């Protein structure tokens, strides 16, 4: 009986063989993209998913999660690097799948693959990501999702000395808790204004749902703070819904400054909240329109500060609740660049136009001090000119109008223009100009300039006013060196200029426009979270503009970009 069965099996294989070979011949690999299945995540350029003819569908999705170090390379196979790979908890497959904007058996849309790649790169636990097709079999396209992890459990430390003032923070955070994509951290900060301890937690997919949970708490020497957010954000451009709630409260001593000196203090107790619901029809002709409705409330109470000189006139308390309506329109246009704001890191550049308007009305029954209306306007745009120029711009306005006394409250109009010019792979020119104009600022608010707020050679908050402009010009150098396979570095020479002033202040003409020149180093690690870069800058003022300005200023700071 066994022999006839073997004969029938052999006969079946012979009959099926033409169909098997035909199916194999119908599968064509994408030879330019297939190296991603066996080589490093950066073996192919970012955003490489091609538009395919016909109407193919997604076949098999392969998740390839690369460790911190590639042990197949001799330079990354040191004992310490192997130990780091063993101790690190690799990102779980679910952490990747949650960010995908497509699924198996769904339609193949090249832009959805590129969008998923961008979303993966937004996670600080992923150094880089690629999402590309690897093989097409008839109407099925297999897709590879490849990421490379960074060491997620890191000590946090920030020695910040700018404008003659020093601050220190130390702590620890995990940006990929147990490989699940969650973030948790605790730290101690001894800052210029306050000192204390704080903790935060963020789960972008709370309990496996599309909701994001964000918690934060702080206990400082001048008060405390708590915040909670439970949001269902738009997960992609084509997503159709978003909603959520935000709550926050804080108590602090707000300092006020002039020429870098604290001239008064003010106790400030604040509570805010927002409940919103947003809907969209998805991407239509490359654009997205979103409508948002919601209810918000604010409460601001002020009291004499227990320490320091109190403000002469304590601001009136403000409490109001109001419904609001927002309309927003976005273009779905992106590009990928390297050596823009980070060293040797793929950066996604938004090239679309984005604008929105928000209207809110607080009736007297819900607002202390009578009826008031809120208006928010925002616009941003970007464009490439050839392969070398990138120009970005933004305009914004926000403020309240009080009907009872026909007065402005906290009006702020701002604008910013940035230009990048790629001179070579290693060198780039950067310039930015921004301005801020205000009217009707309440007593706890100031427009400041100096130190961290611009002009690196001047004391913190050296100038104050109700308007400000800043100019920043840099020549940047991006090194291709990779010391110990751990660090990336660069350098910059820079020129800063700016001014903050009151137009009716007689001293404003004396203070005038300030300017400085300087040079600095930039240092980051491609094996740790890529959300900050260390700045070491030496700046020299070109004019004093007042007392308390040293001949030179050395600053050590952590920034979010080059």
């Amino acid at each position: 009986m066994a022999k006839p069965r073997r004969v029938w099996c052999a006969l079946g294989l012979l009959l099926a063989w033409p169909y098997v070979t035909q199916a194999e011949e119908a599968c064509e690999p994408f030879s330019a993209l297939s190296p991603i299945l066996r080589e490093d995540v950066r073996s192919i350029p970012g955003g490489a998913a091609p538009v395919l003819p016909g109407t193919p569908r997604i076949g098999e999705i392969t998740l390839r999660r690369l460790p911190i170090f590639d042990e197949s390379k001799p330079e990354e196979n040191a004992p310490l690097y192997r130990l780091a790979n063993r101790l690190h908890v690799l990102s779980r497959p679910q952490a990747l799948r949650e960010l995908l904007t497509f699924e198996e058996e769904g339609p193949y849309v090249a832009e959805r693959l590129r969008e998923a790649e961008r979303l993966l790169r937004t996670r600080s636990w992923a150094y880089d990501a690629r999402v590309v097709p690897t093989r097409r079999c008839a109407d099925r396209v297999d897709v590879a999702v490849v990421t490379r992890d960074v060491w997620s459990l890191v000590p946090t430390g920030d020695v910040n000395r700018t404008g003659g003032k020093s601050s220190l923070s130390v702590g620890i955070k995990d940006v990929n808790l147990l490989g699940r994509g969650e973030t948790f951290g605790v730290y101690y900060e001894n800052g210029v204004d306050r000192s204390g301890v704080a903790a935060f937690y963020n789960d972008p997919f709370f309990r496996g749902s599309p909701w994001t949970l964000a918690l934060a708490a702080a206990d400082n020497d001048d008060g405390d703070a708590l915040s909670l957010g439970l949001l269902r954000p738009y997960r992609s451009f084509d997503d159709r819904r978003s909603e959520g709630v935000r709550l926050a409260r804080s108590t602090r001593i707000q300092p006020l400054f002039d020429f870098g000196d604290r001239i008064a203090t003010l106790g400030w107790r604040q509570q805010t909240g927002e409940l919103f619901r947003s809907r969209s029809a998805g991407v239509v002709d490359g654009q997205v329109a979103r409508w948002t409705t919601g209810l918000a409330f604010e409460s601001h109470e002020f009291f004499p500060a227990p320490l320091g000189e109190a403000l002469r006139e304590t601001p009136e308390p403000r409490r109001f609740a109001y419904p609001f309506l927002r309309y927003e329109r976005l273009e779905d246009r992106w590009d990928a660049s390297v050596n823009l704001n980070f060293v040797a890191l793929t950066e996604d550049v938004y090239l679309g136009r984005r604008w929105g308007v928000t209207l809110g009305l607080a009736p007297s029954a819900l607002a202390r001090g009578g009826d008031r209306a809120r208006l928010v306007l925002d616009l941003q745009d970007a464009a490439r000119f050839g392969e070398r120029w990138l120009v970005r711009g933004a305009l914004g306005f926000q403020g309240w109008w009080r009907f009872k006394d026909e007065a402005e409250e906290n009006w702020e109009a701002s604008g910013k223009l940035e230009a990048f010019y790629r001179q070579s792979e290693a060198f780039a020119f950067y310039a930015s100009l921004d301005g801020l104009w205000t009217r009707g600022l309440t007593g706890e608010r100031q427009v400041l300039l100096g130190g961290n707020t611009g002009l690196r050679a001047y004391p913190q908050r050296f100038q104050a006013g109700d308007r400000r402009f800043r100019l920043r010009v840099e020549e940047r150098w991006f090194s291709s060196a990779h010391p110990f396979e751990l660090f990336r570095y660069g350098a910059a020479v820079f020129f800063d200029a700016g001014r903050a002033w009151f137009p009716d202040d007689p001293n404003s003409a004396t203070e005038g426009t300030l300017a400085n020149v300087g040079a600095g180093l930039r240092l980051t690690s491609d094996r740790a979270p890529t959300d900050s870069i260390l700045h070491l800058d030496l700046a020299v003022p070109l004019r004093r503009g007042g007392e308390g300005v040293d001949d030179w200023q050395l600053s050590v700071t952590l920034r979010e970009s080059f």
Side-chain angles (χ1 to χ4, degrees), residues 74-313:
E75 62 272 20
E76 297 185 27
N77 197 22
L80 182 62
Y81 300 162
R82 293 197 302 270
L83 178 62
N85 280 348
R86 302 300 182 274
L87 296 178
H88 174 68
V89 179
L90 200 62
S91 297
R92 299 186 181 187
Q94 187 62 23
L96 277 65
R97 289 191 178 275
E98 289 170 336
L99 295 168
L100 300 185
T101 55
F102 56 88
E103 58 186 2
E104 293 179 350
E105 300 302 322
Y108 174 91
V109 181
E111 183 50 41
R112 291 188 182 178
L113 270 66
R114 298 175 195 148
E115 183 178 39
E117 185 178 303
R118 292 193 299 267
L119 292 174
L120 286 164
R121 275 197 290 266
T122 63
R123 303 304 176 185
S124 54
W125 49 261
Y127 173 69
D128 210 338
R130 297 292 184 268
V131 181
V132 292
T134 56
R135 186 178 68 164
R136 180 169 184 172
C137 300
D139 66 340
R140 290 293 187 271
V141 177
D142 295 338
V143 173
V145 179
V146 184
T147 60
R148 202 203 80 190
D149 272 23
V150 298
W151 182 263
S152 61
L153 180 62
V154 292
T156 62
D158 184 5
V159 180
N160 188 335
R161 178 168 179 81
T162 57
K165 302 293 185 180
S166 299
S167 63
L168 169 70
S169 68
V170 292
I172 190 169
K173 69 175 180 179
D174 194 327
V175 300
N176 194 11
L177 189 63
L178 300 178
R180 299 183 300 192
E182 303 166 20
T183 300
F184 174 76
V186 293
Y187 64 92
Y188 166 78
E189 181 176 16
N190 185 2
V192 178
D193 298 329
R194 59 188 53 86
S195 300
V197 294
F200 58 90
Y201 172 78
N202 182 281
D203 185 353
F205 292 89
F206 181 54
R207 299 181 65 86
S209 73
W211 291 77
T212 293
L213 175 66
L215 302 171
D219 184 12
N220 300 315
D221 56 3
D222 66 342
D224 55 26
L226 289 171
S227 67
L228 177 148
L230 184 60
L231 314 173
R232 188 195 188 281
Y234 284 108
R235 295 293 181 184
S236 68
F237 261 70
D238 199 47
D239 205 351
R240 309 303 172 92
R241 56 178 289 199
S242 174
E243 52 247 338
V245 59
R246 299 184 182 95
L247 299 171
R249 72 168 182 83
S250 64
T251 302
R252 60 178 173 174
I253 305 302
Q254 180 72 8
L256 301 175
F257 294 86
D258 188 28
F259 282 101
D261 297 324
R262 185 179 302 199
I263 59 173
T265 55
L266 174 68
W268 184 7
R269 187 175 296 109
Q270 182 181 25
Q271 297 182 53
T272 61
E274 181 182 85
L275 177 68
F276 71 92
R277 181 177 186 268
S278 185
R279 293 295 182 266
S280 170
V283 179
V284 179
D285 297 329
Q287 297 193 5
V288 176
R290 294 170 177 170
W291 288 94
T292 304
T293 58
L295 180 66
F297 77 89
E298 296 183 27
S299 173
H300 305 268
E301 297 180 351
F302 305 96
F303 54 91
L307 298 175
E309 182 179 349
L311 195 66
R312 293 180 180 178
E313 295 184 8

Side-chain angles (χ1 to χ4, degrees), residues 350-369:
Y350 182 60
L351 294 178
R353 178 174 297 170
R354 181 174 190 161
W355 64 272
V357 55
T358 303
L359 299 173
L361 179 63
S364 57
L366 300 176
R368 178 170 180 168

Side-chain angles (χ1 to χ4, degrees), residues 111 118 237 286 330-335 349-353 381-384:
E111 183 50 41
R118 292 193 299 267
F237 261 70
L330 310 87
E331 289 181 333
D332 191 8
R333 294 178 54 208
W334 296 82
D335 194 13
V349 181
Y350 182 60
L351 294 178
R353 178 174 297 170
D381 204 351
R384 284 198 180 275

Side-chain angles (χ1 to χ4, degrees), residues 254 256 266 268 302 311 313-316 318 372 397-400 402 407-413 436-448 464-468 500-503:
Q254 180 72 8
L256 301 175
L266 174 68
W268 184 7
F302 305 96
L311 195 66
E313 295 184 8
T314 302
E316 290 291 327
R318 305 191 304 276
R372 61 178 66 204
F397 172 84
Q398 63 175 344
W400 289 91
R402 298 196 303 263
E408 311 92 345
E409 182 177 284
N410 289 329
W411 280 21
E412 297 181 3
L436 175 64
W437 172 90
T438 68
R439 177 173 289 181
L441 291 184
T442 48
E444 77 280 5
R445 296 175 179 264
Q446 281 188 295
V447 177
L448 302 168
D466 64 0
R467 59 202 65 192
R468 177 182 68 199
W501 75 101
F502 295 100

